Coordinates of all heavy atoms in Angstrom, one line a residue:
M285 N 107.2 24.5 157.2 CA 107.8 23.6 156.2 C 107.1 22.3 156.1 O 106.6 21.8 157.2 CB 109.3 23.5 156.4 CG 110.0 22.7 155.4 SD 109.8 23.5 153.7 CE 110.5 22.2 152.7
V353 N 105.8 45.7 147.1 CA 104.6 45.0 147.6 C 104.6 44.8 149.1 O 103.6 45.0 149.8 CB 104.4 43.7 146.9 CG1 103.2 42.9 147.5 CG2 104.1 43.9 145.4
V369 N 96.7 40.9 148.2 CA 97.5 41.4 147.1 C 96.9 40.8 145.8 O 96.7 39.6 145.8 CB 98.9 41.0 147.2 CG1 99.7 41.4 146.0 CG2 99.6 41.8 148.4
F389 N 79.9 23.1 130.2 CA 79.3 24.1 129.4 C 79.3 25.4 130.2 O 79.3 25.4 131.5 CB 77.8 23.7 129.2 CG 77.7 22.5 128.3 CD1 77.7 21.2 128.8 CD2 77.5 22.7 126.9 CE1 77.6 20.1 128.0 CE2 77.4 21.6 126.1 CZ 77.4 20.3 126.6
T404 N 100.1 36.5 147.0 CA 100.5 36.8 148.3 C 101.6 37.8 148.3 O 102.3 37.9 147.3 CB 100.9 35.4 149.0 OG1 102.1 34.9 148.4 CG2 99.8 34.4 149.1
K409 N 96.3 41.9 161.0 CA 96.7 42.0 162.4 C 96.5 40.6 163.0 O 95.6 39.9 162.7 CB 95.7 43.0 163.0 CG 95.8 44.4 162.6 CD 97.2 45.0 163.0 CE 97.2 46.5 162.6 NZ 98.6 47.0 162.9
D430 N 92.6 30.0 151.0 CA 93.5 31.1 151.4 C 93.0 31.8 152.7 O 91.8 31.4 153.1 CB 93.6 32.1 150.3 CG 92.4 32.9 150.1 OD1 91.3 32.3 149.9 OD2 92.4 34.2 150.2
L436 N 86.9 36.9 155.3 CA 85.7 37.4 154.6 C 84.4 36.6 155.0 O 83.4 37.2 155.2 CB 85.9 37.1 153.1 CG 84.7 37.6 152.1 CD1 84.6 39.1 152.2 CD2 85.0 37.1 150.7
D441 N 82.3 41.8 158.8 CA 82.4 43.3 159.0 C 83.8 43.9 158.9 O 83.9 45.1 159.0 CB 81.8 43.6 160.4 CG 80.3 43.3 160.5 OD1 79.6 43.3 159.5 OD2 79.9 42.9 161.7
V476 N 122.6 47.5 143.1 CA 123.8 47.4 144.0 C 123.7 48.5 145.1 O 123.4 49.6 144.8 CB 125.1 47.5 143.2 CG1 125.2 48.8 142.4 CG2 126.3 47.3 144.1
K624 N 129.1 35.5 126.4 CA 128.6 36.4 127.5 C 127.4 35.7 128.2 O 127.3 36.0 129.4 CB 128.2 37.7 126.9 CG 129.4 38.6 126.4 CD 130.4 38.8 127.5 CE 131.6 39.5 127.1 NZ 132.5 39.7 128.2
R652 N 125.7 49.5 126.2 CA 126.8 49.9 125.3 C 127.7 51.0 125.9 O 127.3 52.0 126.3 CB 126.2 50.4 124.0 CG 125.4 49.4 123.2 CD 124.7 50.0 122.0 NE 123.9 51.2 122.3 CZ 123.8 52.2 121.5 NH1 124.3 52.2 120.3 NH2 123.0 53.2 121.9
A667 N 128.3 61.2 120.1 CA 128.5 61.5 121.5 C 127.2 61.4 122.3 O 126.1 61.8 121.8 CB 129.1 62.9 121.6
V695 N 124.1 48.2 134.5 CA 124.5 49.6 134.5 C 124.0 50.2 133.3 O 124.2 49.8 132.2 CB 126.1 49.7 134.5 CG1 126.5 51.1 134.8 CG2 126.7 48.8 135.6

Side-chain angles (χ1 to χ4, degrees):
M285 185 58 190
V353 171
V369 172
F389 294 84
T404 63
K409 293 294 185 182
D430 73 302
L436 183 66
D441 293 333
V476 59
K624 288 305 178 182
R652 297 177 306 149
V695 188

